[in-house]
Amino acid sequence: MKIIAAYLLAVLSGNTAPGASDIKGILESVGAEANDERIEFLLSEVKGKDITELIACGREKFASVPSGGGAAVAVAAPAAGGGGAAAPAAEAKKEEKVEEKEESDDDMGFSLFD
């Protein structure tokens, strides 16, 4: 991930085709190790491609990945059935109870300044 970040930083600085030395320089400037194999692999994968097109393609692929939205579906289903106002109200009450419990556990029975 750090190699990709270094590549993107080089592109943002105006270098349209960063090389291995550019990426190594960025990584070394922050004290990170540069893995030559991974740098060469990245450069071979992006060679001749436009970075904005690669990012757009990646966004499309990432958007199709499920991200655990099951709770939103459960809340939306009663809303479509006509009793939708009760479900969000119940969710709000549950959230308030959780927050109150967290506040009471903050000091864990002792005070730092006693």
Side-chain angles (χ1 to χ4, degrees), residues 3-81:
I3 295 170
I4 296 170
Y7 179 84
L8 292 172
L9 282 170
V11 171
L12 283 173
S13 70
N15 187 349
T16 57
S21 61
D22 299 319
I23 295 172
K24 286 180 187 177
I26 292 171
L27 292 173
E28 290 171 359
S29 72
V30 295
E33 293 183 23
N35 183 333
D36 291 334
E37 285 181 16
R38 290 187 177 191
I39 292 173
E40 291 303 322
F41 177 74
L42 172 70
L43 292 175
S44 69
E45 290 293 312
V46 298
K47 185 176 182 177
K49 298 178 183 174
D50 182 38
I51 193 66
T52 55
E53 290 176 12
L54 289 174
I55 292 172
C57 181
R59 280 188 178 177
E60 290 174 11
K61 289 180 181 179
F62 191 66
S64 67
V65 175
S67 61
V73 173
V75 173

Side-chain angles (χ1 to χ4, degrees), residues 82-103:
E91 290 292 324
K93 287 181 183 179
K94 287 180 185 178
E95 289 178 16
E96 289 176 13
K97 288 180 183 178
V98 171
E99 289 177 17
E100 290 174 12
K101 184 177 179 182
E102 290 174 5
E103 288 176 9

